[in-house]
Amino acid sequence: MEEKISVLISEEEVENRIKEMAEQLSKMYKGGTVHLIGILKGSVMFLARLAMHMTVPVTMDFISISSYGNGTSSSGTINMKKELDQDIEGKEVVIVEDILDSGRTLNYVMAYLKSKNPESLKVITLLDKPERRVFEVDLAMTGFQIPDRFVVGYGLDYAEKYRNLPYIGVLD
Ligand code: IMP
Ligand code: MG
């Protein structure tokens, strides 16, 4: 079945905002190296565009977590499906996430990464649904705050589809 999707944030708006975020991050970490950690698979498009616009040296790694099933509501359980490849001790780490919803995923990931002794640990997210927060998460930067709607595109999926849309859309 094909779902109907309407544009919430256009491709141009997303690109412009990511560029701004990259510039801001580059200023924050001037003189250093930023180790970006993406949470698969949703953060891939955001992380790639962000990294391309950054002007400080960047390294990257990915972890994979599952907290959602194939539907549109959280299953409430989290498991780690792919660990870090590289040690993060002493590194300036930035977790890159597609969307902050209940906060369950980032809470878990933050605690996990903190225990590995990075020099610093910050979180940035492309999208934030503040109305849905259950677990508090301290965000260093947010792309866009959005209403409590299920969104797809720019890495975000509905049953693994629509990750490749170059804009943020809403499922009707
Ligand atoms: P949280 O653990 O409830 O904060 O959920 C975060 C994760 O749920 C995100 O990384 C997404 O993978 C997924 N998610 C939350 N809201 C949406 C949405 O609107 N569209 C697609 N995925 C979502
Ligand atoms: Mg995700």
Side-chain angles (χ1 to χ4, degrees):
M1 193 193 80
E2 281 294 298
E3 292 84 16
K4 199 178 168 301
I5 295 165
S6 38
V7 178
L8 180 68
I9 307 170
S10 73
E11 178 170 5
E12 195 187 353
E13 283 177 279
V14 178
E15 289 292 328
N16 289 342
R17 181 64 187 129
I18 293 177
K19 202 168 169 213
E20 280 175 9
M21 293 172 88
E23 282 162 6
Q24 205 177 321
L25 269 182
S26 301
K27 273 189 202 141
M28 281 164 65
Y29 291 95
K30 199 165 187 237
T33 296
V34 182
H35 190 60
L36 300 176
I37 297 182
I39 305 179
L40 293 171
K41 295 177 276 246
S43 72
V44 164
M45 310 299 188
F46 173 39
L47 187 145
R49 293 307 292 161
L50 184 82
M52 281 184 227
H53 288 300
M54 286 184 66
T55 53
V56 291
V58 167
T59 53
M60 53 182 90
D61 202 350
F62 294 91
I63 55 174
S64 180
I65 295 289
S66 67
S67 65
Y68 263 53
N70 263 350
T72 58
S73 69
S74 177
S75 67
T77 51
I78 293 187
N79 43 317
M80 175 87 65
K81 295 195 293 186
K82 184 209 164 293
E83 286 274 350
L84 291 171
D85 288 339
Q86 295 147 245
D87 197 9
I88 60 168
E89 190 164 346
K91 292 184 182 167
E92 310 264 24
V93 174
V94 176
I95 304 171
V96 180
E97 178 60 313
D98 51 0
I99 187 165
L100 179 55
D101 190 24
S102 72
R104 191 177 275 112
T105 307
L106 278 176
N107 228 267
Y108 173 88
V109 170
M110 286 282 277
Y112 173 76
L113 296 181
K114 233 178 236 169
S115 74
K116 299 193 172 290
N117 299 317
E119 172 66 26
S120 64
L121 183 63
K122 287 192 161 58
V123 186
I124 66 170
T125 184
L126 180 61
L127 305 172
D128 178 18
K129 287 191 214 173
E131 287 166 55
R132 302 251 309 166
R133 198 78 79 255
V134 179
F135 298 86
E136 210 186 306
V137 175
D138 188 15
L139 287 172
M141 216 185 288
T142 303
F144 303 90
Q145 286 200 343
I146 60 167
D148 182 11
R149 304 285 303 278
F150 194 82
V151 290
V152 294
Y154 228 95
L156 292 143
D157 74 304
Y158 171 66
E160 294 300 325
K161 289 191 292 183
Y162 311 117
R163 294 191 194 276
N164 59 317
L165 295 178
Y167 55 87
I168 305 292
V170 177
L171 276 188
D172 292 324

